[in-house]
Amino acid sequence: MKERILVTGGTGYIGSHTVVELQNAGYEVVIVDNLSNSNADVVDNIEQVSGIRPAFEKLDCLDMAGLDAVFAKYQGIKAIIHFAASKAVGESVQKPLLYYRNNLGSLINLLELMPKHGVEGIVFSSSCTVYGQPDQLPVTEEAPIKKAESPYGNTKQINEEIIRDDVASGAPIQAILLRYFNPIGAHPSALLGELPNGVPQNLVPYLTQTAIGIREKLSVFGDDYNTPDGSCIRDFINVVDLAKAHVVAIGRMLEGKQAEKVEVFNIGTGRGVSVLELIHGFEKATGVKLNYQIVGRRAGDIEQVWANPERANKVLGWKAETSLEDTLRSAWNWQLKLRERGIQ
Ligand code: UD1
């Protein structure tokens, strides 16, 4: 058995897939999650998929004493992967203080507790949102950070800065910031996937819910962008591939291979795909016809962004592997499985 890793937000969408990959790679996982946007059943599904039941503590990362007790209970936690955060862009505009308190406070608590408990490093869930609309595509890690479009995006930027400042002050920790592009899809077992609360805000959950008849029509937000087909372009990254990036980041960190105490990597495929291409790709991959309409632009949307993932490819030895077709099929199988289970 390899080192013990704390995964905050480990029952969430990306967190649950990462727990499975960590366990597959031999790490021992402790999950902390307040279940604000997930369900305790996910722990059963993680066990079913990986054959190992991770330790699970229902806890809010704002609860400093509770977190302290978790580190004391599970001695020897070597690293943290910090997913736990509020992530709805629109909600963050309505409730900025909730987002700042939750997303910043949780990270600060973890950073404060790390030295006390001998935790060596933290992998932080960041986002390509920090680049805004980049001047050059594909976007590299050197691209300037643009003013955030939402309090949510701002929490990602500020948290990156908090980590950098903490390390610069001499805190005995290392960090890896992973800037995700657009994670989509589900585990091939269809036992893990994205389970949105209420009406989905993100494209693929809305698309699969439309395909299965929960939603009447998918709205495509704008076809008058300066792109080949007029719809926005994103870098859609398979969630299992994304999960594996965390495993290699943890390995690099704990094997003392980091060249700098804070490293940052783009985690994307390197390929830009438009919203309309994605819709047609889904129809082709699944044989399901999608009811969609073109509507006006959504406020705050970036026209086009995709990753230059070369640094992750070379330095981490990580590469997105799964085809878009397989990824879209996995999202559909997950939606079918939810219906079978009577969930959605
Ligand atoms: C959004 C956030 C981003 C966050 C990410 C993860 C913004 C500006 N960005 O990314 O910061 O990290 O979610 O949750 O909100 N679309 C439709 N119809 C829909 C839904 C989406 O056409 O019903 C389009 C959008 O206009 C966009 C693309 O699909 O062009 C992707 O949208 P979405 O899945 O919401 O992700 P982002 O907006 O890229």
Side-chain angles (χ1 to χ4, degrees), residues 87-90 127-129 149-150 152-153 156 180-183 194 200-207 218-222 225 231-234 236 275 279 298-303 305:
K87 63 163 190 178
V89 175
S127 166
C128 69
T129 191
E149 291 274 352
S150 68
Y152 158 78
K156 292 294 176 194
Y180 315 151
F181 283 68
N182 285 56
E194 187 169 11
Q201 305 299 312
N202 295 115
L203 177 60
V204 169
Y206 205 106
L207 185 157
L218 171 70
S219 294
V220 174
F221 298 134
Y225 285 99
S231 64
C232 291
I233 294 178
R234 294 291 183 271
F236 297 99
V275 172
I279 290 172
R298 180 172 74 174
D301 266 341
I302 300 301
E303 180 174 273
V305 63

Short mmCIF file of all heavy atoms in Angstrom, two decimals, residues 87-90 127-129 149-150 152-153 156 180-183 194 200-207 218-222 225 231-234 236 275 279 298-303 305, ligand 1:
data_model
loop_
_atom_site.label_atom_id
_atom_site.label_comp_id
_atom_site.label_asym_id
_atom_site.label_seq_id
_atom_site.Cartn_x
_atom_site.Cartn_y
_atom_site.Cartn_z
N LYS A 87 -19.19 25.49 -7.09
CA LYS A 87 -18.70 25.60 -8.47
C LYS A 87 -19.71 26.12 -9.48
O LYS A 87 -19.46 26.07 -10.69
CB LYS A 87 -18.17 24.25 -8.93
CG LYS A 87 -19.24 23.18 -8.98
CD LYS A 87 -18.80 22.00 -9.81
CE LYS A 87 -19.94 21.05 -10.04
NZ LYS A 87 -19.63 19.91 -10.86
N ALA A 88 -20.85 26.62 -9.00
CA ALA A 88 -21.84 27.10 -9.98
C ALA A 88 -21.59 28.59 -10.27
O ALA A 88 -21.72 29.44 -9.38
CB ALA A 88 -23.25 26.88 -9.47
N VAL A 89 -21.23 28.86 -11.52
CA VAL A 89 -20.85 30.22 -11.90
C VAL A 89 -21.98 31.22 -11.61
O VAL A 89 -21.78 32.25 -10.97
CB VAL A 89 -20.47 30.26 -13.40
CG1 VAL A 89 -20.20 31.68 -13.86
CG2 VAL A 89 -19.26 29.38 -13.65
N GLY A 90 -23.20 30.89 -12.06
CA GLY A 90 -24.34 31.80 -11.89
C GLY A 90 -24.65 32.04 -10.42
O GLY A 90 -24.86 33.19 -10.00
N SER A 127 -8.78 25.93 -12.71
CA SER A 127 -9.62 25.90 -13.91
C SER A 127 -9.04 26.78 -15.00
O SER A 127 -8.39 27.80 -14.72
CB SER A 127 -11.01 26.41 -13.52
OG SER A 127 -11.76 26.71 -14.67
N CYS A 128 -9.35 26.44 -16.24
CA CYS A 128 -8.93 27.28 -17.36
C CYS A 128 -9.66 28.62 -17.31
O CYS A 128 -9.32 29.53 -18.06
CB CYS A 128 -9.19 26.59 -18.68
SG CYS A 128 -10.93 26.42 -19.07
N THR A 129 -10.63 28.72 -16.44
CA THR A 129 -11.34 30.00 -16.29
C THR A 129 -10.37 31.13 -15.90
O THR A 129 -10.65 32.29 -16.17
CB THR A 129 -12.49 29.85 -15.25
OG1 THR A 129 -13.31 31.01 -15.32
CG2 THR A 129 -12.00 29.71 -13.84
N GLU A 149 -14.44 36.55 -14.54
CA GLU A 149 -15.78 36.92 -14.99
C GLU A 149 -16.83 36.73 -13.89
O GLU A 149 -17.95 37.21 -14.01
CB GLU A 149 -16.19 36.02 -16.18
CG GLU A 149 -15.42 36.27 -17.45
CD GLU A 149 -16.03 37.39 -18.29
OE1 GLU A 149 -17.13 37.85 -17.94
OE2 GLU A 149 -15.39 37.81 -19.27
N SER A 150 -16.48 36.00 -12.84
CA SER A 150 -17.47 35.70 -11.80
C SER A 150 -16.74 35.50 -10.48
O SER A 150 -15.55 35.20 -10.46
CB SER A 150 -18.23 34.42 -12.15
OG SER A 150 -17.35 33.31 -12.05
N TYR A 152 -16.99 32.97 -8.66
CA TYR A 152 -16.45 31.60 -8.71
C TYR A 152 -15.06 31.59 -9.34
O TYR A 152 -14.10 31.06 -8.78
CB TYR A 152 -17.40 30.68 -9.50
CG TYR A 152 -16.70 29.45 -10.03
CD1 TYR A 152 -16.42 28.38 -9.19
CD2 TYR A 152 -16.25 29.39 -11.36
CE1 TYR A 152 -15.72 27.28 -9.67
CE2 TYR A 152 -15.57 28.30 -11.84
CZ TYR A 152 -15.30 27.25 -10.99
OH TYR A 152 -14.60 26.17 -11.47
N GLY A 153 -14.95 32.20 -10.52
CA GLY A 153 -13.66 32.24 -11.21
C GLY A 153 -12.62 32.97 -10.38
O GLY A 153 -11.45 32.57 -10.33
N LYS A 156 -10.93 30.82 -7.82
CA LYS A 156 -9.86 29.96 -8.37
C LYS A 156 -8.57 30.76 -8.47
O LYS A 156 -7.50 30.28 -8.09
CB LYS A 156 -10.26 29.40 -9.75
CG LYS A 156 -11.41 28.41 -9.71
CD LYS A 156 -11.04 27.12 -8.98
CE LYS A 156 -12.19 26.17 -8.84
NZ LYS A 156 -11.96 25.09 -7.85
N TYR A 180 -8.00 22.65 -15.05
CA TYR A 180 -8.82 21.77 -15.88
C TYR A 180 -9.50 22.57 -16.97
O TYR A 180 -9.98 23.67 -16.72
CB TYR A 180 -9.95 21.12 -15.08
CG TYR A 180 -9.63 20.54 -13.74
CD1 TYR A 180 -10.62 20.51 -12.76
CD2 TYR A 180 -8.38 19.99 -13.45
CE1 TYR A 180 -10.38 19.96 -11.52
CE2 TYR A 180 -8.14 19.45 -12.20
CZ TYR A 180 -9.14 19.44 -11.24
OH TYR A 180 -8.91 18.92 -10.01
N PHE A 181 -9.66 21.95 -18.11
CA PHE A 181 -10.50 22.52 -19.15
C PHE A 181 -11.93 22.01 -18.90
O PHE A 181 -12.39 22.11 -17.78
CB PHE A 181 -9.86 22.29 -20.53
CG PHE A 181 -8.71 23.27 -20.69
CD1 PHE A 181 -7.56 23.17 -19.90
CD2 PHE A 181 -8.82 24.36 -21.52
CE1 PHE A 181 -6.54 24.13 -19.96
CE2 PHE A 181 -7.82 25.32 -21.60
CZ PHE A 181 -6.68 25.21 -20.81
N ASN A 182 -12.66 21.48 -19.85
CA ASN A 182 -14.06 21.13 -19.55
C ASN A 182 -14.22 19.64 -19.33
O ASN A 182 -14.31 18.89 -20.32
CB ASN A 182 -14.96 21.61 -20.69
CG ASN A 182 -15.17 23.11 -20.67
OD1 ASN A 182 -14.21 23.88 -20.70
ND2 ASN A 182 -16.41 23.54 -20.59
N PRO A 183 -14.27 19.19 -18.09
CA PRO A 183 -14.39 17.76 -17.83
C PRO A 183 -15.79 17.25 -18.19
O PRO A 183 -16.79 17.87 -17.81
CB PRO A 183 -14.19 17.64 -16.30
CG PRO A 183 -13.80 18.99 -15.83
CD PRO A 183 -14.23 19.98 -16.85
N GLU A 194 -21.50 12.51 -13.30
CA GLU A 194 -21.90 13.83 -12.80
C GLU A 194 -23.39 13.80 -12.47
O GLU A 194 -24.21 13.41 -13.29
CB GLU A 194 -21.61 14.86 -13.91
CG GLU A 194 -21.84 16.28 -13.47
CD GLU A 194 -21.31 17.29 -14.48
OE1 GLU A 194 -20.95 16.89 -15.60
OE2 GLU A 194 -21.24 18.48 -14.12
N PRO A 200 -29.32 21.35 -14.86
CA PRO A 200 -27.88 21.43 -15.11
C PRO A 200 -27.50 22.75 -15.77
O PRO A 200 -28.23 23.25 -16.62
CB PRO A 200 -27.62 20.27 -16.09
CG PRO A 200 -28.84 19.43 -16.07
CD PRO A 200 -29.97 20.28 -15.63
N GLN A 201 -26.37 23.28 -15.38
CA GLN A 201 -25.85 24.52 -15.98
C GLN A 201 -24.84 24.19 -17.07
O GLN A 201 -24.65 24.97 -17.99
CB GLN A 201 -25.17 25.39 -14.92
CG GLN A 201 -26.06 25.72 -13.73
CD GLN A 201 -27.30 26.49 -14.12
OE1 GLN A 201 -27.22 27.46 -14.85
NE2 GLN A 201 -28.46 26.04 -13.67
N ASN A 202 -24.20 23.05 -16.95
CA ASN A 202 -23.13 22.70 -17.90
C ASN A 202 -23.72 21.93 -19.09
O ASN A 202 -24.78 21.32 -19.00
CB ASN A 202 -22.03 21.89 -17.21
CG ASN A 202 -21.31 22.71 -16.14
OD1 ASN A 202 -21.40 22.40 -14.97
ND2 ASN A 202 -20.65 23.76 -16.55
N LEU A 203 -22.98 21.99 -20.17
CA LEU A 203 -23.50 21.50 -21.45
C LEU A 203 -23.85 20.01 -21.46
O LEU A 203 -24.97 19.64 -21.84
CB LEU A 203 -22.46 21.80 -22.54
CG LEU A 203 -22.76 21.31 -23.95
CD1 LEU A 203 -24.06 21.92 -24.47
CD2 LEU A 203 -21.60 21.63 -24.89
N VAL A 204 -22.92 19.16 -21.08
CA VAL A 204 -23.15 17.72 -21.29
C VAL A 204 -24.27 17.16 -20.40
O VAL A 204 -25.12 16.41 -20.90
CB VAL A 204 -21.82 16.93 -21.20
CG1 VAL A 204 -22.08 15.43 -21.14
CG2 VAL A 204 -20.96 17.27 -22.42
N PRO A 205 -24.32 17.50 -19.11
CA PRO A 205 -25.46 17.00 -18.33
C PRO A 205 -26.81 17.49 -18.89
O PRO A 205 -27.78 16.73 -18.94
CB PRO A 205 -25.24 17.58 -16.93
CG PRO A 205 -23.81 17.96 -16.87
CD PRO A 205 -23.36 18.23 -18.27
N TYR A 206 -26.84 18.72 -19.40
CA TYR A 206 -28.10 19.21 -19.99
C TYR A 206 -28.42 18.43 -21.25
O TYR A 206 -29.57 18.04 -21.50
CB TYR A 206 -28.02 20.72 -20.30
CG TYR A 206 -29.38 21.37 -20.33
CD1 TYR A 206 -29.82 22.19 -19.31
CD2 TYR A 206 -30.27 21.10 -21.39
CE1 TYR A 206 -31.09 22.74 -19.31
CE2 TYR A 206 -31.55 21.65 -21.41
CZ TYR A 206 -31.95 22.47 -20.37
OH TYR A 206 -33.21 23.01 -20.37
N LEU A 207 -27.37 18.15 -22.00
CA LEU A 207 -27.53 17.40 -23.25
C LEU A 207 -28.06 15.98 -22.98
O LEU A 207 -29.03 15.54 -23.61
CB LEU A 207 -26.17 17.38 -23.95
CG LEU A 207 -26.01 16.77 -25.33
CD1 LEU A 207 -24.78 17.36 -25.99
CD2 LEU A 207 -25.88 15.27 -25.28
N LEU A 218 -32.43 21.23 -25.75
CA LEU A 218 -31.15 21.83 -25.38
C LEU A 218 -31.02 23.17 -26.09
O LEU A 218 -31.25 23.26 -27.29
CB LEU A 218 -30.00 20.91 -25.81
CG LEU A 218 -28.59 21.48 -25.69
CD1 LEU A 218 -28.18 21.62 -24.22
CD2 LEU A 218 -27.59 20.58 -26.41
N SER A 219 -30.68 24.20 -25.33
CA SER A 219 -30.43 25.51 -25.95
C SER A 219 -28.95 25.66 -26.22
O SER A 219 -28.13 25.46 -25.32
CB SER A 219 -30.88 26.63 -25.01
OG SER A 219 -32.28 26.60 -24.85
N VAL A 220 -28.62 26.01 -27.44
CA VAL A 220 -27.22 26.32 -27.78
C VAL A 220 -27.08 27.84 -27.64
O VAL A 220 -27.75 28.60 -28.35
CB VAL A 220 -26.90 25.87 -29.22
CG1 VAL A 220 -25.51 26.33 -29.64
CG2 VAL A 220 -27.04 24.36 -29.34
N PHE A 221 -26.20 28.22 -26.74
CA PHE A 221 -26.08 29.65 -26.43
C PHE A 221 -25.21 30.37 -27.46
O PHE A 221 -24.02 30.59 -27.23
CB PHE A 221 -25.53 29.84 -25.02
CG PHE A 221 -26.40 29.27 -23.93
CD1 PHE A 221 -25.86 28.50 -22.90
CD2 PHE A 221 -27.76 29.50 -23.93
CE1 PHE A 221 -26.66 27.98 -21.90
CE2 PHE A 221 -28.58 28.98 -22.92
CZ PHE A 221 -28.03 28.22 -21.91
N GLY A 222 -25.81 30.73 -28.57
CA GLY A 222 -25.13 31.56 -29.55
C GLY A 222 -24.53 30.79 -30.72
O GLY A 222 -23.86 29.78 -30.50
N TYR A 225 -20.69 33.51 -32.89
CA TYR A 225 -19.32 33.78 -32.43
C TYR A 225 -18.37 33.70 -33.62
O TYR A 225 -18.70 33.10 -34.66
CB TYR A 225 -18.90 32.75 -31.37
CG TYR A 225 -19.53 32.99 -30.01
CD1 TYR A 225 -20.65 32.27 -29.60
CD2 TYR A 225 -18.99 33.92 -29.13
CE1 TYR A 225 -21.22 32.48 -28.35
CE2 TYR A 225 -19.55 34.14 -27.88
CZ TYR A 225 -20.66 33.41 -27.49
OH TYR A 225 -21.22 33.63 -26.27
N SER A 231 -20.58 28.57 -33.04
CA SER A 231 -20.81 28.25 -31.63
C SER A 231 -19.46 28.27 -30.88
O SER A 231 -18.39 28.23 -31.50
CB SER A 231 -21.52 26.89 -31.48
OG SER A 231 -20.72 25.83 -31.95
N CYS A 232 -19.55 28.32 -29.55
CA CYS A 232 -18.32 28.41 -28.73
C CYS A 232 -17.48 27.15 -28.87
O CYS A 232 -18.00 26.07 -29.17
CB CYS A 232 -18.68 28.59 -27.26
SG CYS A 232 -19.42 30.17 -26.87
N ILE A 233 -16.21 27.31 -28.60
CA ILE A 233 -15.28 26.17 -28.67
C ILE A 233 -14.68 25.92 -27.30
O ILE A 233 -14.25 26.86 -26.60
CB ILE A 233 -14.18 26.43 -29.71
CG1 ILE A 233 -14.81 26.50 -31.11
CG2 ILE A 233 -13.09 25.37 -29.65
CD1 ILE A 233 -13.83 26.79 -32.22
N ARG A 234 -14.64 24.64 -26.91
CA ARG A 234 -14.06 24.23 -25.62
C ARG A 234 -13.15 23.02 -25.84
O ARG A 234 -13.21 22.35 -26.87
CB ARG A 234 -15.18 23.82 -24.64
CG ARG A 234 -16.11 24.94 -24.21
CD ARG A 234 -15.41 25.95 -23.33
NE ARG A 234 -16.32 26.98 -22.86
CZ ARG A 234 -16.57 28.12 -23.51
NH1 ARG A 234 -16.01 28.36 -24.67
NH2 ARG A 234 -17.40 29.01 -23.00
N PHE A 236 -12.88 19.58 -24.34
CA PHE A 236 -13.63 18.65 -23.49
C PHE A 236 -12.73 17.49 -23.10
O PHE A 236 -12.30 16.71 -23.96
CB PHE A 236 -14.87 18.16 -24.23
CG PHE A 236 -15.85 19.27 -24.53
CD1 PHE A 236 -15.89 19.86 -25.80
CD2 PHE A 236 -16.71 19.76 -23.56
CE1 PHE A 236 -16.78 20.89 -26.09
CE2 PHE A 236 -17.61 20.80 -23.83
CZ PHE A 236 -17.63 21.36 -25.10
N VAL A 275 -19.53 23.63 -29.66
CA VAL A 275 -20.75 23.11 -29.03
C VAL A 275 -21.57 22.31 -30.05
O VAL A 275 -22.05 21.21 -29.74
CB VAL A 275 -21.58 24.28 -28.44
CG1 VAL A 275 -22.93 23.80 -27.95
CG2 VAL A 275 -20.80 24.96 -27.31
N ILE A 279 -22.57 18.28 -30.05
CA ILE A 279 -23.94 17.77 -30.19
C ILE A 279 -24.00 16.71 -31.30
O ILE A 279 -24.54 15.61 -31.10
CB ILE A 279 -24.90 18.94 -30.50
CG1 ILE A 279 -25.05 19.83 -29.26
CG2 ILE A 279 -26.25 18.44 -30.99
CD1 ILE A 279 -25.82 21.12 -29.50
N ARG A 298 -24.98 33.36 -23.87
CA ARG A 298 -25.07 33.37 -22.40
C ARG A 298 -24.05 34.38 -21.87
O ARG A 298 -22.89 34.36 -22.28
CB ARG A 298 -24.78 31.96 -21.87
CG ARG A 298 -24.85 31.84 -20.36
CD ARG A 298 -24.74 30.40 -19.93
NE ARG A 298 -23.39 29.86 -20.05
CZ ARG A 298 -23.01 28.65 -19.63
NH1 ARG A 298 -23.92 27.84 -19.07
NH2 ARG A 298 -21.78 28.23 -19.78
N ALA A 299 -24.53 35.22 -20.95
CA ALA A 299 -23.63 36.25 -20.40
C ALA A 299 -22.40 35.60 -19.78
O ALA A 299 -22.51 34.58 -19.09
CB ALA A 299 -24.37 37.07 -19.35
N GLY A 300 -21.26 36.20 -20.04
CA GLY A 300 -20.02 35.74 -19.38
C GLY A 300 -19.31 34.61 -20.09
O GLY A 300 -18.23 34.21 -19.66
N ASP A 301 -19.91 34.06 -21.17
CA ASP A 301 -19.24 32.94 -21.87
C ASP A 301 -18.00 33.42 -22.63
O ASP A 301 -18.00 34.48 -23.25
CB ASP A 301 -20.20 32.27 -22.86
CG ASP A 301 -20.92 31.08 -22.24
OD1 ASP A 301 -20.44 30.56 -21.21
OD2 ASP A 301 -21.97 30.68 -22.78
N ILE A 302 -17.00 32.57 -22.59
CA ILE A 302 -15.78 32.80 -23.37
C ILE A 302 -16.03 32.25 -24.77
O ILE A 302 -16.66 31.20 -24.92
CB ILE A 302 -14.62 32.01 -22.70
CG1 ILE A 302 -14.39 32.48 -21.25
CG2 ILE A 302 -13.35 32.05 -23.52
CD1 ILE A 302 -14.06 33.94 -21.14
N GLU A 303 -15.55 32.94 -25.79
CA GLU A 303 -15.80 32.49 -27.16
C GLU A 303 -15.12 31.14 -27.46
O GLU A 303 -15.74 30.19 -27.92
CB GLU A 303 -15.28 33.54 -28.14
CG GLU A 303 -15.48 33.18 -29.58
CD GLU A 303 -15.07 34.34 -30.48
OE1 GLU A 303 -15.93 35.22 -30.73
OE2 GLU A 303 -13.89 34.39 -30.90
N VAL A 305 -11.71 28.47 -26.14
CA VAL A 305 -10.51 28.19 -25.36
C VAL A 305 -10.19 26.70 -25.45
O VAL A 305 -11.09 25.86 -25.38
CB VAL A 305 -10.69 28.64 -23.88
CG1 VAL A 305 -11.79 27.90 -23.16
CG2 VAL A 305 -9.37 28.54 -23.11
C1 UD1 B 1 -18.13 26.77 -16.92
C2 UD1 B 1 -17.48 27.92 -16.23
C3 UD1 B 1 -16.11 27.54 -15.81
C4 UD1 B 1 -16.16 26.32 -14.92
C5 UD1 B 1 -16.86 25.20 -15.65
C6 UD1 B 1 -17.01 24.00 -14.74
C7 UD1 B 1 -18.47 29.93 -17.28
C8 UD1 B 1 -18.17 31.14 -18.07
N1 UD1 B 1 -17.45 29.09 -17.09
O1 UD1 B 1 -17.38 26.50 -18.09
O2 UD1 B 1 -15.51 28.60 -15.13
O3 UD1 B 1 -14.87 25.95 -14.56
O4 UD1 B 1 -18.13 25.63 -16.09
O5 UD1 B 1 -18.25 23.89 -14.19
O6 UD1 B 1 -19.58 29.72 -16.88
N2 UD1 B 1 -23.79 25.64 -23.42
C9 UD1 B 1 -24.91 25.63 -24.22
N3 UD1 B 1 -26.08 25.18 -23.68
C10 UD1 B 1 -26.18 24.77 -22.38
C11 UD1 B 1 -25.03 24.79 -21.56
C12 UD1 B 1 -23.84 25.23 -22.13
O7 UD1 B 1 -24.87 26.00 -25.39
O8 UD1 B 1 -27.28 24.41 -21.93
C13 UD1 B 1 -22.52 26.08 -24.01
C14 UD1 B 1 -21.93 27.29 -23.31
O9 UD1 B 1 -22.42 28.47 -23.84
C15 UD1 B 1 -20.45 27.08 -23.56
C16 UD1 B 1 -20.29 25.55 -23.64
O10 UD1 B 1 -21.59 25.05 -23.88
O11 UD1 B 1 -20.10 27.64 -24.78
C17 UD1 B 1 -19.75 24.93 -22.37
O12 UD1 B 1 -20.54 25.39 -21.28
P1 UD1 B 1 -20.39 24.79 -19.81
O13 UD1 B 1 -20.51 23.32 -19.85
O14 UD1 B 1 -21.34 25.54 -18.93
O15 UD1 B 1 -18.89 25.11 -19.41
P2 UD1 B 1 -18.08 26.51 -19.46
O16 UD1 B 1 -18.98 27.65 -19.56
O17 UD1 B 1 -17.03 26.36 -20.51
#
